Amino acid sequence: MNKPIKRFLKMRFQTKVEHEDHTDSYEFTARGELFHKGSQDYLRFEEALSKDETVQTTMKWDGRELMLIRQGVILMRQGFVAGQQTLGRYVTPEASWETVATTEKVLVQWPQGKSRGRIEIKYRFTLQGQDTGKHQVRLTLEEDKGNE
């Protein structure tokens, strides 16, 4: 059995949510690791929600579906397939909700050599039947040679 080769990345994570008459934006930078296992690629990184709370985030890409898995104070599992509606779940210590993503666009380009990579997802999201708006997520990925 082959051990997956890990590549370390620097990333910039940006999200924009348009809901009714306002837009919210959120951005952070993080270090992560990219590896291939079986027929899928995995991107893993840690997101700091507050000083004391973090979430381990994994994005799994099989060439068609991008699966977002968050584990920590928030548990979330949501798939994204361009042109389709997918069911998921969002769990906090207080409650658990069903989610639905109606995905317009999924773009995954891994960094090669000196080039940057990116992940883009555009989707409409509902949480327990309530529309949360139109979401746009963009990750800019760059190999982190200093962390090998």
Side-chain angles (χ1 to χ4, degrees), residues 1-147:
M1 182 159 153
N2 291 344
K3 186 174 190 269
I5 297 171
K6 287 186 182 179
R7 293 163 57 199
F8 294 96
L9 303 176
K10 292 184 280 192
M11 67 178 73
R12 184 171 163 210
F13 185 103
Q14 300 167 284
T15 185
K16 184 168 82 172
V17 180
E18 296 172 20
H19 189 256
E20 294 172 358
D21 61 348
H22 69 279
T23 300
D24 292 320
S25 296
Y26 175 65
E27 183 176 320
F28 66 90
T29 57
R31 285 186 152 56
E33 54 188 33
L34 173 65
F35 58 96
H36 185 82
K37 188 175 175 184
S39 61
Q40 302 184 359
D41 292 305
Y42 294 82
L43 173 64
R44 189 177 296 149
F45 58 94
E46 192 169 89
E47 183 181 348
L49 300 180
S50 69
K51 196 174 105 173
D52 303 322
E53 299 176 320
T54 61
V55 172
Q56 182 73 36
T57 301
T58 302
M59 292 180 144
K60 181 170 74 168
W61 174 244
D62 67 6
R64 183 180 154 270
E65 180 180 41
L66 183 66
M67 179 62 70
L68 174 66
I69 303 159
R70 297 170 82 197
Q71 296 174 293
V73 286
I74 295 170
L75 298 173
M76 182 180 181
R77 188 173 181 88
Q78 181 69 56
F80 300 95
V81 180
Q84 291 190 18
Q85 223 178 46
T86 50
L87 298 177
R89 182 140 303 275
Y90 185 89
V91 181
T92 68
E94 294 81 34
S96 174
W97 297 282
E98 180 180 271
T99 59
V100 179
T102 305
T103 307
E104 178 186 324
K105 174 183 183 179
V106 177
L107 172 74
V108 177
Q109 295 175 326
W110 300 125
Q112 298 293 325
K114 294 184 182 190
S115 72
R116 290 178 175 208
R118 63 187 174 141
I119 296 174
E120 286 184 40
I121 320 167
K122 287 184 183 177
Y123 58 98
R124 188 145 211 108
F125 197 64
T126 60
L127 184 67
Q128 203 64 26
Q130 296 294 310
D131 181 23
T132 66
K134 187 174 184 177
H135 296 243
Q136 184 172 339
V137 176
R138 174 178 292 155
L139 281 81
T140 306
L141 310 168
E142 187 178 346
E143 283 200 63
D144 187 0
K145 298 289 190 186
N147 202 0

